[in-house]
Amino acid sequence: MQPSRDISRLIEIMAALRDPQTGCPWDIEQDFASIAPYTIEESYEVADAIARGDLDDLRDELGDLLLQVVYHAQMAEEAQEFAFGDVVQAITEKMIRRHPHVFGDEEARNAGMAKGMWEKIKGQEKALKREARLARGLDPEDHGPGFLDGIPVALPALTRALKLQEKAARVGFDWASAGPILDKIEEEIGELREALSRGDAASTKDEFGDVLFALVNLGRHLKVDSEAALSGTNEKFRSRFHHVERSLNAAGRGLDASSLDEMEDLWQQAKGVERSG
């Protein structure tokens, strides 16, 4: 089998890998749940390539992500649920439906994207989805009956916290400004200190989560994306630590042979380099 630019070749490869008789033993034993973590990982690797500005790597990572879509579609086809073509049709229908100002009739195009139109269309889509689930004998609320239950559980925790808060804010369940949230953060830190003083591991975990949730809420009011802010801090930490490592190596020493005080001095040097830069 030869490689190709045609998507059908990738679908053929996936089908061959999943063939019960001649396929790859590892691929054959996988299911939706076991593959899902890889799908999430590949999405992050796409984002990483973008952040690094590496377009060659982005091409490869997009291919890996596309493979995940084909993988799930192949398993669904084996279960006689849907195929890759159905996935393509569903998303093309959705994009056309959600952009009447681009793909609609002359009246829709002239009206432009009216305020609230996007949410109205999404509401119509949810209603149709509920009807389809009822017709199949399933719970009409695929994520649960509550107002916030449509937020996917598999999202990164910081992102899910933000989306939960944003959705609750739509119905007025929100702080009026950032100031009271700072007070709430201090309150949560106090409760965390109490849990630590009691040596209560379960409460410590719970209170720590409350602090993080409140910090995400503060970021939302400050127009600061928590994921992006933490990503920046992660990179800053990596860069400073790398400075410590390089400096020690230049002196003929390694990390294991250095004291905390030595590493802290070099850490402060790294911060100074950042400020001067």
Side-chain angles (χ1 to χ4, degrees), residues 10 14 17-18 24-32 34-35 38-39 64-78 84:
L10 181 57
M14 193 69 254
L17 290 172
R18 290 278 298 178
C24 169
W26 186 89
D27 286 292
I28 293 169
E29 69 181 16
Q30 302 309 309
D31 57 24
F32 294 112
S34 67
I35 289 298
Y38 295 100
T39 307
D64 291 344
L65 184 58
L66 177 59
L67 176 64
Q68 295 298 307
V69 177
V70 172
Y71 209 135
H72 286 287
Q74 174 63 31
M75 292 187 290
E77 185 170 9
E78 293 165 4
F84 181 79

Side-chain angles (χ1 to χ4, degrees), residues 102-158:
V102 177
F103 304 112
D105 57 26
E106 185 175 353
E107 181 180 352
R109 291 171 65 87
N110 290 337
M113 193 59 176
K115 184 178 181 180
M117 179 63 74
W118 183 268
E119 290 300 326
K120 179 180 179 181
I121 294 172
K122 288 181 69 175
Q124 293 170 345
E125 290 174 351
K126 288 181 179 179
L128 290 172
K129 185 178 287 188
R130 284 194 293 270
E131 291 176 8
R133 289 181 64 81
L134 276 171
R136 295 171 62 194
L138 301 173
D139 186 331
E141 301 293 344
D142 55 346
H143 288 288
F147 180 69
L148 298 179
D149 290 333
I151 308 298
V153 176
L155 286 173
L158 291 179

